[in-house]
Amino acid sequence: MFRTAYALTGDVHVAEDLVQETLERACRQWRKVAVADSPEAYVRKVLVNLANDRWRRLSRRGERPGLSGVPETADPRDRFGQVDLRAELIEALLGLPMGMRSVVVLYYLHDLDARQVADVLDISSSAVRSQLARGLAKLRDSVSGAQAPHTPSAAFGGTK
């Protein structure tokens, strides 16, 4: 959950707050969560909706959240060994519109297929595929110059 929140917000502290608020809401609605077909998907949807709500509030005020809490240099203990690339990727993700960012994060970080992403975001599968294609093109353009992985999830240790 934290990885998703961080990828959506780009701020460690905001991501922690988002996870905490998501878990709080899930606990308050536990009877509803427990009987859901997939409690994990239910909680994931709450997280994405809270991130979208936060983004809308900030954009109405004219603020643009920045990247914070990312190390400047690679930590040798980092098992991914690509901290700089991950920081650049997060910065590029923050440049995407929130809907497109949500599609990319759910598809690559959570390994959901287009239909599952469509269910979480309440959009059509074709809209997911379109948003994903445009989002990846924008990410490739903004992460140019660095040795980018073939897919965004490679920088996060994902499988796609």
Side-chain angles (χ1 to χ4, degrees):
M1 280 180 39
F2 176 77
R3 287 189 323 163
T4 302
Y6 181 69
L8 291 172
T9 63
D11 185 302
V12 172
H13 304 293
V14 173
E16 289 170 347
D17 291 344
L18 206 56
V19 169
Q20 183 176 352
E21 187 174 353
T22 300
L23 292 173
E24 177 188 342
R25 287 188 182 198
C27 284
R28 276 193 271 138
Q29 298 293 323
W30 186 248
R31 289 176 192 221
K32 196 184 231 184
V33 174
V35 297
D37 291 338
S38 173
E40 182 181 338
Y42 184 95
V43 173
R44 184 182 311 120
K45 185 172 185 171
V46 170
L47 177 71
V48 171
N49 287 338
L50 286 172
N52 286 336
D53 292 345
R54 178 188 173 277
W55 181 80
R56 279 188 216 103
R57 277 192 313 272
L58 291 176
S59 65
R60 271 191 226 122
R61 289 189 263 165
E63 295 178 33
R64 185 171 185 283
L67 186 63
S68 70
V70 176
E72 291 296 319
T73 59
D75 182 349
R77 295 171 299 183
D78 184 7
R79 70 183 186 146
F80 300 113
Q82 298 180 344
V83 172
D84 294 334
L85 178 59
R86 287 185 8 212
E88 189 174 348
L89 182 58
I90 291 293
E91 191 77 49
L93 274 170
L94 291 175
L96 296 177
M98 190 61 180
M100 196 177 291
R101 186 184 326 161
S102 298
V103 168
V104 170
V105 167
L106 289 172
Y107 189 84
Y108 284 104
L109 253 57
H110 288 282
D111 293 332
L112 300 180
D113 62 27
R115 184 189 50 75
Q116 292 169 317
V117 173
D119 290 343
V120 169
L121 299 176
D122 292 327
I123 58 177
S124 68
S125 293
S126 59
V128 168
R129 290 188 300 273
S130 171
Q131 292 286 322
L132 188 61
R134 287 189 283 159
L136 289 177
K138 286 184 178 189
L139 286 174
R140 279 187 203 103
D141 290 343
S142 59
V143 182
S144 63
Q147 184 66 355
H150 295 293
T151 60
S153 65
F156 292 104
T159 58
K160 282 197 177 183

